[in-house]
Amino acid sequence: GLFRSLRDTGIVSEVFPPEQLKSLGKGTIAVGHVRYGTTGSDNKRNVQPILVNHFKGRMALAHNGNLTNSRELRQELESRGSIFQTTTDSEVIAYIIVQERLNRGSIEEAVSAAMDRIEGAYSLVLSSPTKLIAARDPHGFRPLCIGLLDGDCYVFASETCALDALGAKFVRDVEPGEVCVVENGKLRSMHCDIKCKTSACVFEYIYFARPDSIIDGASVELARQEAGKYLSIEHPVGADVVIGVPDSGIPAAIGYANTSKRPVSY
């Protein structure tokens, strides 16, 4: 499972050069994370994926998003003897999943049950020794998509541009509240019990996502151009030139410039 977009490929390639990746050997499941944690400090202990050894085996978890009830859950877990190694809400999710495994027959059922307890924005990829699992919060705040590589290898990523970089074929978006399971090369899914209104995060289209990604069927590039178009209509100014800052603002600047008939500078 490849997680966040490859927008930081320069940094990632320095941390994981080809020779170091080759030294890892070959496996059947992988979970990666190339995005900073937004909750907690930038301490090395907060690096993801989070690895957990528990009574039923091992689990690796990567998380994109922020929980709104992480403090309450953390206090509840600590009062029962849990000892945290990081300051991220991602570790809270891992502990909740492990707790739910006590009364669940499978890890995917534990993930689904955990989604009834955690609140906020999250897309998850996690693995057990035999399964790759992906889940998206019931609101669909954070994006998550499914790709297929070489016809038989499933890949999950936050953005379709990551699939493009791998040469994987886009299959579909993970639905809000859906838990996807890949086992023995087969994909199946289930849904958590929470039903709510889908509420995609508009900041993905404004800033977070790469412009060449498609999220929930909408092109990020075109969405930004449309935003610039309507900004020009609602807030016209007598400017000499339109400049997009930072890079994510360039498509909006193009939309603004085209509508206002002003030149655009890159």
Side-chain angles (χ1 to χ4, degrees):
L2 180 70
F3 206 50
R4 195 61 201 178
S5 77
L6 300 182
R7 71 163 67 92
D8 298 321
T9 49
I11 297 173
V12 174
S13 64
E14 293 171 13
V15 177
F16 300 113
E19 58 271 17
Q20 189 166 1
L21 291 175
K22 288 182 180 178
S23 69
L24 296 176
K26 294 184 178 180
T28 58
I29 301 175
V31 173
H33 192 282
V34 294
R35 179 178 175 271
Y36 63 91
T38 51
T39 299
S41 67
D42 58 358
N43 190 290
K44 288 183 179 179
R45 289 188 177 184
N46 291 335
V47 169
Q48 296 188 41
I50 291 176
L51 302 178
V52 178
N53 293 306
H54 58 95
F55 65 102
K56 286 194 175 183
R58 304 187 71 192
M59 179 178 74
L61 178 143
H63 163 221
N64 173 33
N66 294 95
L67 299 188
T68 55
N69 66 335
S70 61
R71 179 176 297 180
E72 295 86 348
L73 290 173
R74 190 183 184 99
Q75 291 174 345
E76 175 191 331
L77 291 165
E78 288 178 334
S79 69
R80 296 181 180 179
S82 297
I83 299 174
F84 286 83
Q85 303 298 318
T86 77
T87 56
T88 68
D89 51 359
S90 306
E91 190 176 13
V92 172
I93 299 174
Y95 274 28
I96 294 294
I97 293 173
V98 170
Q99 269 194 353
E100 292 295 339
R101 287 224 65 184
L102 286 168
N103 303 312
R104 310 290 169 179
S106 65
I107 188 170
E108 59 266 30
E109 291 174 332
V111 171
S112 181
M115 292 168 69
D116 292 337
R117 297 174 59 185
I118 59 178
E119 299 173 1
Y122 57 88
S123 285
L124 309 173
V125 287
L126 60 144
S127 73
S128 70
T130 59
K131 299 176 183 177
L132 176 64
I133 298 171
R136 189 177 181 189
D137 73 74
H139 290 278
F141 287 126
R142 291 284 172 260
L144 193 60
C145 64
I146 306 171
L148 190 61
L149 181 64
D150 298 329
D152 61 356
C153 178
Y154 283 97
V155 182
F156 298 96
S158 284
E159 296 181 36
T160 57
C161 66
L163 303 180
D164 297 335
L166 288 174
K169 177 184 177 182
F170 171 76
V171 176
R172 65 176 177 85
D173 292 293
V174 176
E175 297 175 1
E178 184 180 14
V179 180
C180 296
V181 186
V182 178
E183 184 177 17
N184 297 324
K186 303 296 183 182
L187 175 66
R188 52 188 169 84
S189 70
M190 56 191 292
H191 285 77
C192 69
D193 295 330
I194 299 176
K195 305 297 180 184
C196 57
K197 180 182 178 182
T198 300
S199 304
C201 176
V202 69
F203 220 55
E204 292 284 350
Y205 293 101
I206 295 173
Y207 174 71
F208 285 150
R210 244 175 49 169
D212 53 336
S213 284
I214 297 174
I215 300 176
D216 292 325
S219 163
V220 174
E221 171 87 17
L222 293 180
R224 289 176 183 170
Q225 288 188 21
E226 284 293 292
K229 168 186 172 181
Y230 285 106
L231 181 63
S232 174
I233 294 171
E234 295 175 11
H235 298 281
V237 293
D240 296 320
V241 65
V242 182
I243 303 173
V245 178
D247 283 351
S248 59
I250 291 176
I254 293 173
Y256 194 104
N258 288 342
T259 305
S260 62
K261 307 301 181 184
R262 308 287 179 182
V264 62
S265 176
Y266 299 100

